[in-house]
Amino acid sequence: MKEPSLPGTSLQRACRLLVAFCALHLSATLLYYLAGSALGPPGSPEPPPRRPPPANLSLPLSRPPPPTARPRPPVASGPPGPCPETSPLLVGALRVEFSQPVNLEEVARINPEVKAGGRFAPKDCIALQKVAIIIPFRNREEHLKYWLYYLHPILQRQQLDYGVYVINQDGEEEFNRAKLLNIGFAEALKEYDYDCFVFSDVDLIPMDDRNTYKCYSQPRHLSVSMDKFGFRLPYNQYFGGVSALSKEQFRKINGFPNNYWGWGGEDDDIYNRLVFKGMGISRPDAVIGKCRMIRHSRDRKNEPNPERFDRIAHTRETMSSDGLNTLSYKVLRTDKYPLYTKITVDIGSPNS
């Protein structure tokens, strides 16, 4: 009698047959691969790998010139065009201090583009304005050194065609700031066709080169934020320190008054003249308009003018008969130094 088969016996036989078939197929494949390798020529090189596509298909595929190739000669350009309205050379806020002494020979060395008499004009563009900077002066040599040290680099970065004129009052009479400024205006025009005039005290240094020393459609007050006054205007009508007027604006008000001897008053008279001629005052903002004053005691022969308030009250009546049209002085000497022009003048006396 035949024994009954165990469960799953048929499945086991099928699995064995499948394993045997796979082994046979693998052996045949191996024999075929070995036979194909033997048929190829010995030492035949592998085919070169495919070059990957360029990483950025938007770039041109032309090859750069060889290292030995000579650069193309520069294309000849015409005369320079006008300088931009805002100079690209400006750096903004500046550190201004007066703790170290200044050597003017060194200042001249580091400003080689400044010509004799304190003249400069940019080479790569034509300045938009020709600016005469007028400094009323007497016995302030150390202050002038700091002014020249700081201002020449600033003015060059502002791309101005400028000259620096130091108007030195001779003698021991009371100081007359406004009359010296009138003289500077007249003398500078004898040298060059300036169209803008910046009138600056010698002890004021701007703290931001964006405060451009140029003229605007309205008279410009530049020293609006002085450390002396806590970096704000002492009063809204204040026009002292540093200001800029075009040639036309200055002539329209008959220049500055000649009869303010001693300290004070002339700035307010100038403000009145501008208002009476229908002009306003433009100013930079309080940040760009920051400036530092060199501390000093009041100069001898520059005491407060006791007549200043009375004179200010009568500006409207006196401005047509006191100014450029009545200016009298005598030039004693003109010195052309490397960084500035010094004009020494006899301006008379309060009683002359």
Side-chain angles (χ1 to χ4, degrees):
M1 184 174 174
K2 197 172 185 180
E3 295 183 4
S5 60
L6 297 174
T9 302
S10 299
L11 181 60
Q12 291 178 1
R13 289 173 181 167
C15 289
R16 291 191 187 102
L17 288 174
L18 181 60
V19 171
F21 177 78
C22 290
L24 179 63
H25 183 269
L26 181 62
S27 300
T29 302
L30 180 62
L31 289 173
Y32 178 80
Y33 176 78
L34 293 174
S37 300
L39 292 175
S44 60
E46 295 183 1
R50 295 179 63 188
R51 174 181 290 180
N56 188 345
L57 295 178
S58 66
L59 297 177
L61 299 180
S62 59
R63 300 176 67 182
T68 56
R70 293 184 178 180
R72 294 180 180 180
V75 179
S77 60
C83 297
E85 184 69 29
T86 301
S87 170
L89 308 178
L90 304 179
V91 299
L94 306 169
R95 181 179 179 182
V96 177
E97 57 183 33
F98 311 116
S99 58
Q100 299 297 321
V102 172
N103 183 302
L104 287 187
E105 291 183 0
E106 178 64 14
V107 176
R109 188 190 66 80
I110 62 178
N111 292 279
E113 299 300 322
V114 177
K115 306 306 180 187
R119 293 283 289 110
F120 171 84
K123 291 183 176 180
D124 54 351
C125 61
I126 300 173
L128 301 182
Q129 295 187 14
K130 294 172 283 188
V131 183
I133 300 171
I134 313 298
I135 301 174
F137 185 84
R138 186 168 65 182
N139 301 328
R140 294 282 198 91
E141 281 73 16
E142 292 304 312
H143 294 177
L144 180 60
K145 290 178 182 180
Y146 284 116
W147 193 98
L148 296 167
Y149 171 77
Y150 282 110
L151 264 296
H152 270 303
I154 291 174
L155 298 169
Q156 290 172 79
R157 291 197 300 271
Q158 292 177 350
Q159 294 184 313
L160 302 173
D161 180 356
Y162 72 87
V164 177
Y165 296 85
V166 175
I167 313 302
N168 179 45
Q169 179 175 332
D170 189 58
E172 297 296 325
E173 294 292 345
E174 290 290 324
F175 193 66
N176 191 326
R177 176 180 181 269
K179 188 171 185 178
L180 292 173
L181 297 178
N182 280 343
I183 294 171
F185 175 87
E187 290 298 313
L189 283 175
K190 294 177 182 178
E191 290 197 348
Y192 192 52
D193 185 24
Y194 293 105
D195 49 30
C196 176
F197 296 81
V198 173
F199 304 98
S200 175
D201 289 346
V202 73
D203 54 6
L204 286 177
I205 309 297
M207 299 176 67
D208 196 309
D209 63 2
R210 293 172 294 177
N211 192 7
T212 306
Y213 277 35
K214 67 178 184 179
C215 292
Y216 294 77
S217 60
Q218 295 293 326
R220 185 78 163 179
H221 185 216
L222 296 164
S223 55
V224 302
S225 185
M226 294 167 54
D227 60 345
K228 174 184 177 180
F229 300 126
F231 294 110
R232 55 180 174 268
L233 279 177
Y235 50 94
N236 290 336
Q237 297 79 19
Y238 182 67
F239 198 65
V242 187
S243 58
L245 287 86
S246 70
K247 180 164 55 178
E248 292 74 19
Q249 292 165 355
F250 195 77
R251 285 175 170 166
K252 188 175 182 179
I253 64 171
N254 193 25
F256 297 161
N258 296 315
N259 60 0
Y260 281 80
W261 297 87
W263 180 87
E266 79 282 352
D267 299 329
D268 296 319
D269 191 297
I270 295 165
Y271 177 87
N272 288 344
R273 290 175 181 235
L274 297 172
V275 172
F276 294 151
K277 287 297 184 178
M279 290 182 274
I281 305 299
S282 67
R283 292 185 170 107
D285 64 49
V287 174
I288 292 178
K290 281 187 174 182
C291 58
R292 285 198 65 187
M293 173 181 280
I294 306 173
R295 300 293 182 179
H296 59 90
S297 58
R298 189 178 303 281
D299 300 321
R300 193 173 69 86
K301 291 293 185 177
N302 194 26
E303 298 301 322
N305 179 0
E307 301 177 352
R308 64 189 186 277
F309 298 111
D310 182 65
R311 294 189 183 281
I312 293 169
H314 295 89
T315 301
R316 188 188 294 271
E317 296 84 47
T318 60
M319 61 182 294
S320 61
S321 59
D322 178 23
L324 286 177
N325 60 354
T326 56
L327 179 63
S328 63
Y329 64 95
K330 181 180 180 181
V331 174
L332 302 180
R333 187 172 63 256
T334 298
D335 297 302
K336 293 286 185 180
Y337 294 104
L339 298 170
Y340 64 100
T341 297
K342 184 177 182 181
I343 303 175
T344 301
V345 292
D346 177 0
I347 65 172
S349 66
N351 299 319
S352 61

